[in-house]
Amino acid sequence: MKKIWIIRHAKSLKTAFVSDIERPLIERGVSDANLVSNHIKNNLDAHFTIISSSAKRASDTAVIFANNLGYTPEDIIYMDELYTFDDRKLEQVIRNLDDTLNHVLVIGHNPALTDFVNNISNGFFDNIPTSGMVEIVFEQTEWLKIASGKVNYNIFPKKIK
């Protein structure tokens, strides 16, 4: 069995003064990431791997989640390939994960995350909001073969404010 937690990066600054990949979190983003990560910490399995897009807004979100979930920033695996807005590229990254990793927390970007969840699971979401989390469980034991996952749980900041 494989389990994945899909998390959209926290709310970030939209400005012409920095490149897209360097956009920082705004105060609301930091607050929402803390809110969601603290809310889910008792619902996660004991051991999991955190992987994150290398974009600043995603990596900063990953650090917040890591700190609140009992991990250190050094535990995070940053992947340039997760800086994508294409669900097919995201799926390729996930299907190529090492099979020794059974439970993975992925922090990335929309629309790739929403499209991935909608295409590979029984769930449907119009939009996974910033700091939103969707948990998907797969019966398969190899990432390459994941299909028809079951959405067990989802939490969005608006639900817990």
Side-chain angles (χ1 to χ4, degrees), residues 4 9 16 38 80 82 92 122-123 133 152-153 160:
I4 192 167
H9 65 77
N38 280 311
D80 293 339
L82 286 176
Q92 183 178 20
N122 66 338
M133 187 278 295
N152 266 356
Y153 180 71
I160 54 177

Side-chain angles (χ1 to χ4, degrees), residues 40-91:
I40 67 170
K41 67 181 163 188
N42 295 325
N43 294 330
L44 299 180
D45 296 321
H47 301 287
F48 55 90
T49 301
I50 301 172
I51 62 173
S52 174
S53 160
S54 55
K56 181 164 179 46
R57 62 192 179 275
S59 61
D60 288 350
T61 303
V63 169
I64 292 168
F65 272 78
N67 287 334
N68 290 332
L69 299 174
Y71 286 72
T72 67
E74 292 76 26
D75 294 321
I76 301 166
I77 300 169
Y78 297 100
M79 300 177 74
D80 293 339
E81 301 87 357
L82 286 176
Y83 179 60
T84 184
F85 309 101
D86 182 335
D87 64 299
R88 292 173 309 233
K89 290 180 182 176
L90 173 63
E91 183 176 344

Side-chain angles (χ1 to χ4, degrees), residues 8-11 28-29 31-37 39-40 65 126-133 153-161:
R8 184 174 172 195
H9 65 77
K11 193 84 167 156
R28 177 180 150 207
S31 175
D32 285 353
N34 276 298
L35 180 71
V36 170
S37 58
H39 185 81
I40 67 170
F65 272 78
D126 287 329
N127 178 51
I128 296 173
T130 52
S131 296
M133 187 278 295
Y153 180 71
N154 69 78
I155 194 70
F156 302 150
K158 282 185 180 180
K159 290 183 179 181
I160 54 177
K161 282 187 176 181

Side-chain angles (χ1 to χ4, degrees), residues 63-150:
V63 169
I64 292 168
F65 272 78
N67 287 334
N68 290 332
L69 299 174
Y71 286 72
T72 67
E74 292 76 26
D75 294 321
I76 301 166
I77 300 169
Y78 297 100
M79 300 177 74
D80 293 339
E81 301 87 357
L82 286 176
Y83 179 60
T84 184
F85 309 101
D86 182 335
D87 64 299
R88 292 173 309 233
K89 290 180 182 176
L90 173 63
E91 183 176 344
Q92 183 178 20
V93 171
I94 292 169
R95 287 187 182 279
N96 285 311
L97 290 173
D98 188 317
D99 284 328
T100 61
L101 306 175
N102 291 314
H103 305 131
V104 180
L105 191 146
V106 176
I107 300 173
H109 309 271
N110 258 354
L113 296 177
T114 298
D115 292 344
F116 172 78
V117 169
N118 290 342
N119 290 333
I120 203 154
S121 76
N122 66 338
F124 179 81
F125 301 92
D126 287 329
N127 178 51
I128 296 173
T130 52
S131 296
M133 187 278 295
V134 177
E135 176 187 275
I136 306 172
V137 176
F138 300 96
E139 292 299 321
Q140 296 79 22
T141 58
E142 298 173 45
W143 288 110
L144 188 59
K145 296 180 181 178
I146 59 169
S148 302
K150 179 184 174 201

